[in-house]
Amino acid sequence: MTEVQTPPAAVSAAAGPSVKRSRWREAATGWLFVLPFAVLLVAFLLLPMAYAFKISLYRSTLIGGEVFALFDNYKQAIDDPLVREGVVRVLVFGLIQTPVMIGIALLAALLIDAATSRFSRIFRLAAFVPYAVPVVIGTLMWGFLYSDSIGPFSGLGIDFVSSDTVLASLGNIVTWQWAGYNMIVLYAALQGLPREIYESARIDGAGEVQIALRIKTPMISSALILATLFTIMGTLQFFTEPLILQPLNPGAITQHYTPNVYAYNQAFSFQQYNYSAAISFLLGAVVFIGSYIFLFATRKRSALR
């Protein structure tokens, strides 16, 4: 018997509807998985941002009510010396605190990666625990420690929340809170490196310090830059720690201590919602520009583009 060959075009035409249905089901399944996140993103981020941008273009007056002011609120925020003072303060804070925290996180990650004992897991957990503590609770704990009346360091005669020391005290809180998180990020990157490279370096006579500085650290540059980028973004949005510690010394931690604190007080203390929204969007622009400059400056050292 002669076998009848079915033309490929006929097979393709017959299978076409089933293939299309299969692809449609796959696409629908994917969208169903994405849908909860998309709904939350739109409802709790995009719509509030759109509304905040809208009210930032208006100005509240006693006689006319809400009046369209276009970018007058933004011009006022740019000319506001209190806004500029807060921006300069968080920039100085970030320039000092970010390298310190990333350096501590990198050192901890390298030490734990080099450790071969069974206690390395305990060390990882101990370094990560502060990140698991909510920021508000952690700041309240440090507020008790900084107290000059009931704190355990009250006998040292050091005012940790004075005008001269409060920025360093806040930097200590932020470092304690986030160093463990960055350490986990860097440690995970170190765990992905091939161990054969270390053995080759040891055969060539390299010590553990040389391996850490000349092999491990350059090979996790992408993770280092990513952790630094997140730290910069968080530093420029500095808010919770100064707001919680403000009652300890309102003269040192003022209502305009950082741009976020200033925007918060403008909205909820003085009911200047339009101006507060404008300050918030200006701060967002500063965060975006600062992050872009950092990525542009480090683009040759990592795979981030």
Side-chain angles (χ1 to χ4, degrees), residues 11 24 77 99 281 286 290:
V11 173
W24 185 88
F281 274 97
V286 172

Side-chain angles (χ1 to χ4, degrees), residues 115-143:
T116 57
S117 67
R118 59 183 178 180
F119 298 106
S120 60
R121 293 184 179 180
I122 299 176
F123 296 150
R124 290 201 305 269
L125 178 62
F128 185 74
V129 161
Y131 173 70
V133 178
V135 178
V136 173
I137 296 177
T139 306
L140 289 173
M141 291 167 52
W142 280 103

Side-chain angles (χ1 to χ4, degrees), residues 22-216:
S22 176
R23 290 178 178 175
W24 185 88
R25 284 195 298 268
E26 291 179 0
T29 303
W31 280 110
L32 286 175
F33 277 110
V34 174
L35 184 60
F37 171 77
V39 171
L40 293 175
L41 178 68
V42 172
F44 295 101
L45 181 64
L46 298 183
L47 288 179
M49 285 183 62
Y51 177 73
F53 181 71
K54 175 189 173 183
I55 67 174
S56 72
L57 302 178
Y58 286 80
R59 176 167 292 177
S60 181
T61 61
L62 293 175
I63 300 176
E66 293 287 331
V67 178
F68 184 68
L70 195 58
F71 296 116
D72 287 352
N73 289 320
Y74 292 91
K75 294 177 183 177
Q76 179 184 348
I78 293 173
D79 295 334
D80 193 338
L82 299 181
V83 174
R84 293 199 297 266
E85 180 184 337
V87 171
V88 171
R89 183 176 288 110
V90 295
L91 289 176
V92 172
F93 178 82
L95 287 174
I96 298 174
Q97 189 269 337
T98 298
V100 171
M101 182 169 65
I102 295 299
I104 292 174
L106 177 62
L107 177 62
L110 290 171
L111 290 175
I112 295 175
D113 183 68
T116 57
S117 67
R118 59 183 178 180
F119 298 106
S120 60
R121 293 184 179 180
I122 299 176
F123 296 150
R124 290 201 305 269
L125 178 62
F128 185 74
V129 161
Y131 173 70
V133 178
V135 178
V136 173
I137 296 177
T139 306
L140 289 173
M141 291 167 52
W142 280 103
F144 164 74
L145 295 175
Y146 289 155
S147 175
D148 58 356
S149 57
I150 60 174
F153 306 119
S154 57
L156 298 178
I158 301 174
D159 188 356
F160 291 99
V161 290
S162 68
S163 300
D164 297 329
T165 60
V166 66
L167 197 61
S169 299
L170 290 169
N172 174 63
I173 296 174
V174 174
T175 301
W176 175 85
Q177 184 80 31
W178 292 94
Y181 170 82
N182 290 312
M183 182 273 295
I184 291 295
V185 172
L186 300 178
Y187 177 75
L190 287 170
Q191 290 296 291
L193 299 180
R195 300 289 164 175
E196 295 81 4
I197 299 178
Y198 308 156
E199 297 300 329
S200 300
R202 292 188 182 96
I203 292 174
D204 292 338
E208 293 300 323
V209 176
Q210 291 177 314
I211 292 174
L213 297 179
R214 298 184 180 182
I215 297 178
K216 293 183 178 181

